[in-house]
């Protein structure tokens, strides 16, 4: 695999430099062609690299001590884009010094900096935040938007469906991903006017590289019946947090149940292979790497609490999108949409 190097914001995330470098090194052990631009405090980065001698020849360090705070307002962070590790990582993509940027820092700040530096692709109104979620099916489901856009009209939802389907084709290899709009019911009369209008456009438009399957309710997102779930950022973020919270609830409940008595502990030992499989499936690090789709460049958001395995997965997501040229895929798919139907309000 021959790819442009990946800029890593080494200062972002809850654990900072050590985990970001460990994750990048883990990704490179899996794919020895990866190269990196590591952005952050040079002294701390070099100390972390001592544990990974194989990274030395594959990495360049861009020194920067300024860091975007986890609770910092995007507007304030934006004013410091030229001095922070996050801003410099994104700018490296803009300047062609890297093919993609990966950060585990402040999501709002990362979106603001990415939009300003890379701009939205021609023909798209807004970028969207997309992530992979586990399902009972053979493939993960892609869900977008997950918080980049609080309110969305029908045009936005249609564009999100196109971007999500393009991403799904890369991840799953399915040339016609099953795509649904998140709604409060599956009947055609349910939902807001914008959701209904988006559904009408997607049903009527021919030539789209997807199979539009109507609506899906939130409790069916993880059943494996669809490949792409489309929604506005407000609803998507709430649904995502509810899914993540339920996963933690189930694992904590099982842990409590299996440690409540001697009999329960024995039962845990007997059922350990099954519980380990459940833990692996629900571990967010195995699905880490949300993507800002719709920009003139690749930016991947790693979860702030991700461990090295999670960061490695985020790096691999960035590489996969570069390899499969996600930007041009989306541009081609947009060309299949009837401009007149998209502009109808």
């Amino acid at each position: 695999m021959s790819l442009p190097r990946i800029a890593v914001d080494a200062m972002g995330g809850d654990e900072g430099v050590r985990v970001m470098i460990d994750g990048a090194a883990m990704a490179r052990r899996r794919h020895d062609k990866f190269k990196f631009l590591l952005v952050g405090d040079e002294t701390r980065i070099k100390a972390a690299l001592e544990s990974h001698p194989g990274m030395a020849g594959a990495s360049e360090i861009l020194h920067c001590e300024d860091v975007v705070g986890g609770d910092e307002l995007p507007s304030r962070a934006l004013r410091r884009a030229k001095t922070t590790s996050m801003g410099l990582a994104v700018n490296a993509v803009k300047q062609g010094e890297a093919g993609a940027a990966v950060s585990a820092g402040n999501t709002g700040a990362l979106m603001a900096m990415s939009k300003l530096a890379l701009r939205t692709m021609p023909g798209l109104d807004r970028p969207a935040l997309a992530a992979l979620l586990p399902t009972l099916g053979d493939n993960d489901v892609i869900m977008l938007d997950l918080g980049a856009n609080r309110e969305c009209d029908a045009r936005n939802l249609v564009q999100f469906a196109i971007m999500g389907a393009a991403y799904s084709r890369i991840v799953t290899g399915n040339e016609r991903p099953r795509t649904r709009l998140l709604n409060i019911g599956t009947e055609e009369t349910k939902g807001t006017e914008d959701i209904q209008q988006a559904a009408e456009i997607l049903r009527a438009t021919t030539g789209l590289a997807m199979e539009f399957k109507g609506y899906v309710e939130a409790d069916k997102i993880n059943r494996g019946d669809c490949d792409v779930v489309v929604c506005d950022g407000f609803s998507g973020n709430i649904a995502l947090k509810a899914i993540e919270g339920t996963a933690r609830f189930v694992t904590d409940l099982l842990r409590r149940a299996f440690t409540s008595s001697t009999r329960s502990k024995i039962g845990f030992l007997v059922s350990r292979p099954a519980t380990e499989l459940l833990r692996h499936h629900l571990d967010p690090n195995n699905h880490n790497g949300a993507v800002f789709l719709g920009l003139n460049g690749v930016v991947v958001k790693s979860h702030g609490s991700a461990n090295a395995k999670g960061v490695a997965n985020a790096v691999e997501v960035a590489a996969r999108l570069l390899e499969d040229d996600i930007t041009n895929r989306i541009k081609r798919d947009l060309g299949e949409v009837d401009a007149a139907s998209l502009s109808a309000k």
Side-chain angles (χ1 to χ4, degrees):
M1 182 188 299
S2 179
L3 292 168
R5 62 181 178 176
I6 297 170
V8 176
D9 171 15
M11 309 294 281
D14 298 346
E15 300 296 329
V17 175
R18 181 186 60 80
V19 167
M20 297 304 294
I21 300 303
D22 287 352
M26 183 181 294
R28 193 171 193 278
R29 285 196 294 272
R30 299 173 184 168
H31 309 278
D32 60 6
K33 301 299 182 184
F34 286 3
K35 296 185 181 298
F36 301 99
L37 176 65
L38 305 175
V39 188
D41 186 282
E42 185 173 13
T43 301
R44 295 171 63 187
I45 291 175
K46 285 184 175 180
L49 286 174
E50 290 178 359
S51 302
H52 308 287
M55 286 282 286
S59 305
E60 178 184 346
I61 299 173
L62 177 59
H63 176 68
C64 174
E65 298 180 6
D66 199 4
V67 183
V68 174
D71 298 325
E72 190 169 339
L73 290 174
S75 56
R76 184 175 183 275
L78 201 56
R79 292 195 291 270
R80 300 191 300 118
K82 295 182 179 180
T83 63
T84 56
S85 58
M86 178 186 290
L88 291 175
V90 173
N91 189 62
V93 179
K94 176 184 178 181
Q95 299 299 329
E97 298 170 357
V102 176
S103 176
N106 184 313
T107 303
L110 183 61
M111 171 56 88
M113 289 181 181
S114 299
K115 286 177 67 175
L116 181 63
L118 302 177
R119 303 295 180 182
T120 306
M121 290 169 48
L124 282 175
D125 296 335
R126 302 177 182 181
L129 182 61
L132 292 166
L133 303 179
T135 73
L136 293 175
D138 295 331
N139 296 309
D140 292 339
V141 61
I142 290 169
M143 188 169 175
L144 71 166
D145 177 32
L146 295 177
N149 304 282
R150 185 172 55 188
E151 297 179 355
C152 300
D153 60 20
R155 176 185 172 93
N156 301 143
L157 295 174
V158 171
Q159 292 179 347
F160 294 170
I162 292 168
M163 293 192 292
Y167 185 20
S168 179
R169 294 201 303 280
I170 291 173
V171 173
T172 68
N174 182 359
E175 288 304 311
R176 291 185 58 81
R178 298 164 298 172
T179 304
R180 297 179 184 267
L181 294 168
L182 183 64
N183 205 342
I184 57 172
T186 58
E187 300 88 346
E188 291 187 12
T189 56
K190 289 293 180 69
T192 64
E193 182 179 340
D194 286 320
I195 292 175
Q196 292 181 21
Q197 185 178 7
E200 290 176 7
I201 295 171
L202 290 169
R203 289 191 191 99
T205 305
T206 60
L208 290 179
M210 71 174 76
E211 183 180 1
F212 180 63
K213 304 284 285 186
Y215 302 138
V216 63
E217 294 179 89
D219 62 334
K220 302 295 193 302
I221 290 173
N222 303 102
R223 299 301 299 178
D225 299 327
C226 54
D227 303 303
V228 181
V229 173
V230 180
C231 54
D232 63 82
F234 184 82
S235 303
N237 194 267
I238 291 175
L240 175 65
K241 296 296 173 56
I243 290 170
E244 291 177 338
T246 301
R248 286 193 295 269
F249 171 73
V250 171
T251 53
D252 290 347
L253 196 62
L254 286 173
R255 186 181 299 110
R256 182 182 300 177
F258 281 128
T259 57
S260 61
S261 66
T262 301
R263 176 180 288 185
S264 296
K265 292 177 182 177
I266 295 173
F268 169 73
L269 293 175
V270 173
S271 61
R272 188 167 185 175
T275 55
E276 284 297 306
L277 179 62
L278 176 65
R279 184 185 65 81
H280 175 81
H281 200 58
L282 294 179
D283 185 354
N285 288 291
N286 294 322
H287 309 276
N288 188 46
V291 185
F292 292 130
L293 295 176
L295 298 173
N296 292 300
V298 175
V299 178
V300 175
K301 171 66 174 69
S302 171
H303 201 291
S305 61
N307 60 22
K309 179 173 67 174
V311 173
N313 283 338
V315 169
E316 290 175 10
V317 167
R320 186 84 176 269
L321 295 177
L322 286 174
E323 183 182 35
D324 288 273
D325 198 7
I326 183 66
T327 302
N328 282 324
R329 277 192 180 229
I330 292 173
K331 287 179 181 178
R332 287 195 298 268
D333 291 350
L334 281 172
E336 298 293 338
V337 181
D338 177 44
S341 65
L342 265 181
S343 61
K345 297 291 291 182

